[in-house]
Amino acid sequence: MLIGIVLALIAGSLVSLQNIFNSKVNEHTGSWSTTTLVLGMGFIASLAMGLIMEGGDMFTLKHMQPWYWFSGMIGVGVVICLVQATKLLSPTYAISVVLTSQLGFALLWDSLGWLGLTKVPFTSKQLIGVLVIVGGILVFKLGGGREPQEATKPAKQQAVNVE
């Protein structure tokens, strides 16, 4: 269990880091080219690591439902939506909302036993946990303001903008 928690913590830090990188790439190019770059580089990296770690066996797909093959297309939606949300909200706020949504929908899929998952009984404790997280996001968003972007620029850059 400890290894699973450590891996989940690493995944969370990598998602946050990737979100920041993606938003910086998006500042210099469009959303679709950002998504192409992100998923293309991911394809190259995962193909290389898969061949190194598993060899030709990585292409053996046993007893898999065909609709599971579309998960890569879901990744396109993830990247596009995260890039746009980060641009509109900020990295921290966007990730907070994403994680809450992720938790809520995971709870829904588990509770209903959809998509081939083992049905897990829904409890009030689970609902309270999700509501506490939503409350935390509201406190985060409504509790304190960010400095305006103009105030965070270096003094030299502000002086150029004033002239």
Side-chain angles (χ1 to χ4, degrees):
M1 183 169 154
L2 182 61
I3 292 173
I5 291 171
V6 170
L7 291 172
L9 288 170
I10 292 169
S13 68
L14 292 176
V15 167
S16 294
L17 185 62
Q18 181 188 28
N19 192 37
I20 293 167
F21 281 26
N22 292 354
S23 68
K24 292 300 181 183
V25 170
N26 193 54
E27 288 176 8
H28 301 282
T29 186
S31 296
W32 289 109
S33 52
T34 298
T35 302
T36 302
L37 176 69
V38 167
L39 296 177
M41 294 296 290
F43 170 76
I44 292 167
S46 62
L47 179 64
M49 289 304 297
L51 289 172
I52 291 168
M53 303 299 279
E54 298 176 13
D57 288 341
M58 74 180 271
F59 298 109
T60 305
L61 307 175
K62 300 175 188 166
H63 311 293
M64 186 170 65
Q65 298 294 335
W67 57 81
Y68 294 147
W69 300 355
F70 293 99
S71 66
M73 291 182 190
I74 295 169
V76 171
V78 170
V79 173
I80 283 288
C81 291
L82 259 175
V83 165
Q84 293 304 311
T86 300
K87 188 185 333 181
L88 296 170
L89 300 174
S90 80
T92 306
Y93 187 42
I95 288 291
S96 298
V97 173
V98 166
L99 292 177
T100 303
S101 173
Q102 197 172 1
L103 179 61
F105 278 100
L107 180 59
L108 177 68
W109 308 144
D110 274 349
S111 297
L112 298 174
W114 287 358
L115 305 171
L117 296 174
T118 303
K119 191 172 184 177
V120 176
F122 181 79
T123 66
S124 58
K125 288 181 184 178
Q126 294 168 325
L127 177 62
I128 291 169
V130 172
L131 293 175
V132 165
I133 292 171
V134 170
I137 290 172
L138 291 174
V139 168
F140 172 79
K141 184 60 180 169
L142 303 175
R146 289 177 31 175
E147 290 184 26
Q149 289 293 340
E150 190 67 26
T152 59
K153 291 182 181 178
K156 184 176 181 182
Q157 191 175 1
Q158 284 182 3
V160 172
N161 290 339
V162 172
E163 297 173 8

